[in-house]
Amino acid sequence: LIRERWSWRDPARTCSIGLPRAARAVVRYSRGMPWDTAAVHCAIIEGFIEHGRPPRLPADAHPALLQLAADHGVVLHPGTTDVWVAHPFSASPTGVWVERRDDRRGWWAPCIWCAMGIVTLAASDAAIHTRYGGEAEPAVIEVTGGAVRSDACIHFPIPARDAWSNVVHWCASVLPFRSPADVPGWCARHALPHGDIVPIARVLELGRTWYGNHRSPTWRKWTTAEAAQIFAGAGFSGPHWQLPVGDERF
């Protein structure tokens, strides 16, 4: 009833009491307050968490949205202001579905790392539905009380420094395997590089640190230097995880 009576795109509305958090974010900033990238990001993340999709932002938010995309805070459909990906969420179907156990609500994740971000933000008890190596065998990764209950490993074929050359492809290639021994054959079948193989529990720890502040209204995108520190702190080391030195956004 509330969602039918109130439009996220209607700046004339002045009362946000009783609205879902995502709607409050958009109503607040559509009343003439300046949009910035943190406000746009907050509205998008809350929209995904509460509704499974990003909100339609008003036109006066578009400059900040485009800046957010330039900062790698979101991925837009080419040539539009439509949100495609706001890590850890995807607005398009993917091969990873995170289902919260208590109410069966779910979200698409671009990859297993992102799935752990959704667990961190919205679903501490969840089942992550995907496929081993993205192939025929289904994989269900259980998370209970924020702890992963699986012996799977996660393969990152492409170095982190190349992620934003094509981030959708980079994410799609981050896949679970039953054993590290399964990875070389998979790489040969698909002509994809053999990268770094990481225990799934460590990927959960990375997801917690990386995405833990994504609901904050003062969020900002990590710099490459900050990202490198987060990788190192979570045990992601070696050439595969080295990033260029600088203050660009990662």
Side-chain angles (χ1 to χ4, degrees), residues 2-244:
I2 290 174
R3 287 195 296 270
E4 293 174 354
R5 292 177 57 194
W6 292 83
S7 169
W8 291 359
R9 293 172 288 172
D10 183 359
R13 299 296 189 182
T14 59
C15 179
S16 61
I17 297 174
L19 284 173
R21 186 172 176 180
R24 290 201 301 270
V26 177
V27 168
R28 174 190 174 197
Y29 287 101
S30 66
R31 291 203 298 266
M33 296 183 68
W35 285 89
D36 59 19
T37 55
V40 170
H41 183 265
C42 182
I44 291 169
I45 294 297
E46 293 300 334
F48 270 114
I49 290 172
E50 295 188 20
H51 303 284
R53 61 187 185 276
R56 291 190 176 275
L57 298 169
D60 61 355
H62 289 176
L65 175 64
L66 295 172
Q67 181 60 56
L68 185 63
D71 289 342
H72 299 157
V74 294
V75 180
L76 304 178
H77 285 285
T80 76
T81 54
D82 296 331
V83 175
W84 183 359
V85 172
H87 295 97
F89 299 97
S90 174
S92 295
T94 72
V96 183
W97 178 254
V98 182
E99 184 177 81
R100 190 164 60 195
R101 191 170 293 119
D102 61 353
D103 59 5
R104 305 294 297 274
R105 288 195 58 203
W107 300 267
W108 285 306
C111 68
I112 293 296
W113 175 11
C114 291
M116 297 308 178
I118 294 176
V119 165
T120 298
L121 293 172
S124 60
D125 293 291
I128 301 170
H129 299 269
T130 184
R131 292 181 179 274
Y132 289 110
E135 296 181 339
E137 184 182 0
V140 181
I141 298 165
E142 300 286 346
V143 182
T144 302
V148 65
R149 306 180 67 154
S150 171
D151 295 325
C153 58
I154 308 301
H155 179 226
F156 294 80
I158 304 170
R161 62 180 176 273
D162 297 327
W164 285 99
S165 296
N166 184 339
V167 74
V168 174
H169 173 65
W170 193 94
C171 287
S173 70
V174 176
L175 294 165
F177 290 83
R178 285 192 176 276
S179 165
D182 297 333
V183 173
W186 179 90
C187 294
R189 284 195 300 279
H190 300 291
L192 288 168
H194 190 295
D196 196 23
I197 302 171
V198 181
I200 194 168
R202 194 186 304 167
V203 178
L204 174 57
E205 289 304 314
L206 177 63
R208 283 196 182 116
T209 305
W210 193 271
Y211 291 111
N213 72 336
H214 264 49
R215 296 187 79 169
S216 170
T218 60
W219 170 93
R220 63 176 179 79
K221 190 71 165 106
W222 302 118
T223 65
T224 54
E226 291 167 336
Q229 289 180 342
I230 292 171
F231 289 150
F236 289 68
S237 60
H240 199 80
W241 298 99
Q242 290 178 353
L243 297 176

